[in-house]
Amino acid sequence: MTPGSLGYRTDLEVLAMSGSRLDDRGDHIVVSTPTNPSYWWGNFILVDRVPGPDASQEWLDRFAEAFPTAGHVALGFDGTAGRAEDLAFFAGLGFHAEAQAVMTASRVRPPRRVNRDAVCRELRSERDWEQSVELRMGCQDRPADAGPGYLSAKALANRRMVRAGAAAWFGAFVEDRLVAQLGLVQVEEGLARFQSVETDPAFRRRGLAGTLVERAAAHGFERFGARRLVMVADPGYFAADLDRSLGFATVETQLQVERDSPLTVPAG
């Protein structure tokens, strides 16, 4: 199965580069990260389409078979269009259903507000990466991303990609405190994917994210030889408006569901 979705295609490429396993089973791909089992979107199934209500239970069963000890359920659905309402079966079972915007840009405009108070640079030291984990813990609002074990393992995978020259991680520092960060991964020739754009809640609305995106984009164009950048965002969240103001345009919709506990529905 080759994903038709640019969002999922680049997701899988980043995951493979960071050490996850991809098991192609024809109509779906099982993604697993044995070194980080609590990483929801490193342990999920990508289905080739949104199933109808009669077929949806099958994918819960397949997830349970593929991940018998998982404390979560995560399913992605390939495609380039759709709405969260298409996932009503799963939403009715308590899943969080999302229709994310896959956005691209071939050039990035300067942000409307440039932050000149923070020092923006690549993460380098052990302390920088420790702060990266601390910042992620402070920014997460769902159990999927709350565990320090998951976050530390994810940071190690990110560092491996940086050391291999396939990625760069940038941070905004105020008095040596990391208050915003993001990653950029070269996934294919001419294509780079943004990762984990996040800002400490106490430092939001100060132009930090836009300043970092512009800085990382310049790195992608100049150092990675990227001709197109990919960003995935919640279309209803303010970050999507920021991305649009920088020159990103929505090209696809990416559908997914998740919940923080396994669930099966009795047959019949």
Side-chain angles (χ1 to χ4, degrees):
M1 169 184 164
T2 300
S5 161
L6 176 64
Y8 276 122
R9 191 178 87 223
T10 53
D11 275 336
L12 296 186
E13 288 168 335
V14 171
L15 286 162
M17 292 167 64
S18 63
S20 298
R21 299 174 182 172
L22 310 182
D23 182 6
D24 188 343
R25 301 187 181 181
D27 61 350
H28 68 288
I29 297 173
V30 177
V31 181
S32 60
T33 309
T35 57
N36 198 356
S38 59
Y39 177 17
W40 287 16
W41 290 102
N43 296 278
F44 75 101
I45 291 178
L46 177 62
V47 186
D48 65 351
R49 69 195 69 183
V50 176
D54 292 342
S56 294
Q57 174 60 34
E58 173 188 350
W59 294 105
L60 298 180
D61 296 338
R62 290 200 188 190
F63 186 93
E65 180 181 354
F67 302 100
T69 63
H72 72 282
V73 181
L75 299 171
F77 305 99
D78 190 30
T80 60
R83 305 171 302 155
E85 289 78 8
D86 298 336
L87 306 171
F89 172 88
F90 298 98
L93 296 176
F95 281 79
H96 177 73
E98 290 186 309
Q100 296 186 314
V102 180
M103 311 176 80
T104 66
S106 56
R107 68 181 185 89
V108 172
R109 295 190 289 264
R112 294 169 183 167
R113 181 178 181 181
V114 178
N115 187 293
R116 304 188 187 282
D117 298 322
V119 175
C120 296
R121 61 171 176 80
E122 292 184 59
L123 303 192
R124 296 189 292 261
S125 68
E126 289 293 331
R127 181 56 186 151
D128 286 351
W129 285 99
E130 289 172 0
Q131 289 198 75
S132 175
V133 174
E134 293 165 4
L135 177 58
R136 291 213 70 184
M137 289 183 68
C139 291
Q140 305 311 308
D141 57 4
R142 294 205 303 273
D145 302 318
Y150 147 70
L151 295 173
S152 295
K154 189 72 169 66
L156 285 174
N158 294 340
R159 292 185 74 176
R160 286 195 295 269
M161 289 192 291
V162 170
R163 288 171 182 152
W169 245 259
F170 292 86
F173 294 81
V174 174
E175 297 180 352
D176 294 325
R177 175 186 173 187
L178 180 65
V179 296
Q181 66 178 337
L182 56 79
L184 186 67
V185 183
Q186 183 181 13
V187 290
E188 300 173 11
E189 183 178 355
L191 189 66
R193 169 71 186 267
F194 276 96
Q195 297 281 289
S196 305
V197 182
E198 51 201 357
T199 304
D200 185 318
F203 287 83
R204 291 175 181 169
R205 306 291 185 178
R206 300 189 189 187
L208 290 166
T211 302
L212 279 180
V213 169
E214 183 190 29
R215 174 72 178 273
H219 182 98
F221 292 133
E222 295 166 13
R223 298 288 296 278
F224 290 161
R227 296 183 296 276
R228 185 166 57 150
L229 306 176
V230 182
M231 183 90 73
V232 177
D234 180 342
Y237 193 51
F238 72 86
D241 292 333
L242 169 65
D243 296 337
R244 282 188 283 268
S245 74
L246 295 170
F248 286 83
T250 300
V251 296
E252 294 179 1
T253 301
Q254 179 171 304
L255 299 179
Q256 62 186 49
V257 296
E258 61 183 21
R259 62 173 288 144
D260 61 359
S261 61
L263 181 146
T264 57
V265 178

